[in-house]
Amino acid sequence: MLRPITLALGLALAAPAVAQMPASLPAGPRVPIVAVTQPLPTQPQYTRVDVPYLREMMASRTGGRIEVNLSTHAERNLGGAEIVRLVRSGQADIGGGTLTTLSGDVPILDGIDLAGLAPDMAVARQIAEAVMPVANRDLERFGARLVLIYPFPAQVLFCRQPFTSLADLRGRRIRTFGNSLVDMVGAIGGQPVSIGFPEVYSALERGVVDCAITGTGSGASARWPEVSTHISDLPLSWAVAGYLVNVAWWNRLDPQVRAFLEGTFREMQDKLWELGAAATRDGIDCNIGRAELCRIHNVAARPMTEVAATAADRTQVRQIFEQTVLPGWVRRCGARCGEIYNQVIAPLSGIRFGG
């Protein structure tokens, strides 16, 4: 599922693409915007989409009327979980974060990207866009709403020792994040270990964990091939993320400004989904040393071995989602979440809660 990323798409994402920006905005009062979007300034989502669209093109296409003060979590000393509160308080007009991270305030957000829910990125997008209006009803109680939703590269396993299937992971200590991945790893027979992303490199290096889950490209950027040997191509989740706006600020905007921003967000959303797909395969190719196909991340100096998922692995992930992950999420989130899942997500996932 992850292999056929076309050459044309790879080349299109080799440099920022901004030719399809929405129509120019008529002259009017200046609109300053504070946006805090990605965790790190080195991420492709930031350098290839956010910077060209929000920082560079926004001002030029609006004659300087809209000017975005753009920064990352790292530059603001944020961990990511504070984004809903940052936007709600008005300290940022636009804030971005992974939905799993933001779900502490709004539990329904976790249901968009449960481990094992979406076997491929096309289904992940259908689910994300279907749940977005429902999630916004909950978010608006916090004075925020989602205006854009997108994935990071597929979240996969990196391991220090060889493995050929999920069955080989029984007993291994595996770094996870988010409750549903904890449930998934536990059901596989692994031992979930919670470690912050910056500490994972040293944890793998010292053998504190045997394996770790992150995006294919994130692992490449963090030099995980130096401390791990095998990488799976099986997506366990997609680290779906979103951009929130402060509702009071959003509603006060000139309707023409709001329409211009909506058009910009729609185009950014398409670019970010394209990037998520391309970066998924690119991350694997870079990690396994396939230099001719490595265009977004850096090729590994010590190439890893790719582990292709078996049909049995895919079946097992689906069964664990149905029997363990989904019931666990509903217990944490409440009966209403189970009802929403059956109404909105089950027709897309093909699995109903409660049979």
Side-chain angles (χ1 to χ4, degrees):
M1 291 181 200
L2 301 178
R3 290 182 181 277
I5 297 299
T6 66
L7 176 61
L9 178 56
L11 293 175
L13 289 167
V18 293
Q20 302 299 314
M21 283 288 287
S24 298
L25 188 67
R30 181 173 171 272
V31 182
I33 297 175
V34 175
V36 185
T37 55
Q38 304 293 340
L40 298 170
T42 55
Q43 290 176 291
Q45 290 76 14
Y46 191 72
T47 60
R48 295 168 181 262
V49 181
D50 290 359
V51 169
Y53 273 95
L54 297 179
R55 180 179 291 165
E56 297 170 359
M57 296 298 291
M58 189 72 75
S60 63
R61 290 299 299 268
T62 64
R65 185 176 176 190
I66 298 179
E67 184 173 340
V68 179
N69 179 351
L70 179 66
S71 60
T72 62
H73 301 176
E75 291 166 316
R76 295 283 295 268
N77 294 316
L78 299 171
E82 317 93 329
I83 293 299
V84 172
R85 280 159 280 170
L86 193 77
V87 170
R88 181 185 187 185
S89 68
Q91 295 178 65
D93 305 308
I94 302 170
T98 57
L99 302 187
T100 295
T101 303
L102 304 179
S103 65
D105 289 318
V106 185
I108 191 68
L109 293 176
D110 205 21
I112 295 175
D113 188 37
L114 295 170
L117 170 60
D120 59 58
M121 195 168 281
V123 174
R125 182 167 189 173
Q126 290 176 337
I127 291 170
E129 293 180 352
V131 180
M132 191 169 166
V134 181
N136 272 335
R137 287 199 289 271
D138 286 6
L139 276 165
E140 285 175 3
R141 298 204 310 269
F142 291 86
R145 66 177 287 114
L146 282 164
V147 292
L148 183 158
I149 200 164
Y150 68 97
F152 282 95
Q155 305 296 295
V156 303
L157 282 153
F158 291 70
C159 289
R160 300 174 72 243
Q161 299 92 15
F163 68 100
T164 58
S165 70
L166 294 179
D168 296 336
L169 302 177
R170 183 169 296 278
R172 296 196 194 184
R173 295 158 298 180
I174 302 174
R175 179 261 179 175
T176 60
F177 59 92
N179 290 319
S180 71
L181 277 173
V182 169
D183 289 345
M184 175 66 70
V185 166
I188 288 170
Q191 300 176 30
V193 181
S194 177
I195 300 176
F197 184 78
E199 289 76 48
V200 177
Y201 180 100
S202 61
L204 283 166
E205 184 178 39
R206 293 182 288 113
V208 173
V209 292
D210 304 300
C211 305
I213 298 170
T214 196
T216 62
S218 302
S221 298
R223 299 181 292 113
W224 285 16
E226 296 176 359
V227 291
S228 54
T229 60
H230 288 65
I231 180 173
S232 170
D233 72 350
L234 177 64
L236 297 177
S237 64
W238 299 96
V240 175
Y243 290 178
L244 307 169
V245 296
N246 178 289
V247 170
W249 168 81
W250 184 251
N251 290 340
R252 286 196 305 268
L253 289 173
D254 179 319
Q256 288 183 311
V257 172
R258 193 163 55 241
F260 180 87
L261 291 174
E262 285 172 343
T264 302
F265 292 148
R266 281 195 298 271
E267 192 168 333
M268 289 177 67
Q269 181 166 269
D270 287 341
K271 295 297 180 186
L272 285 163
W273 280 95
E274 290 175 11
L275 179 58
T280 289
R281 186 61 231 179
D282 183 89
I284 293 176
D285 286 331
C286 295
N287 287 324
I288 65 175
R290 195 172 290 168
E292 71 279 9
L293 297 177
C294 177
R295 299 186 178 91
I296 299 174
H297 306 93
N298 295 321
V299 66
R302 194 177 81 176
M304 302 181 70
T305 298
E306 180 178 357
V307 180
T310 65
D313 288 336
R314 298 187 190 280
T315 298
Q316 183 180 4
V317 166
R318 189 168 175 84
Q319 289 174 341
I320 291 172
F321 169 74
E322 182 175 9
Q323 298 169 8
T324 304
V325 173
L326 179 56
W329 173 67
V330 173
R331 280 195 301 273
R332 294 188 296 271
C333 193
R336 171 178 171 269
C337 292
E339 295 168 3
I340 291 171
Y341 174 88
N342 281 341
Q343 292 168 6
V344 179
I345 301 177
L348 300 171
S349 71
I351 294 176
R352 283 183 59 82
F353 171 66

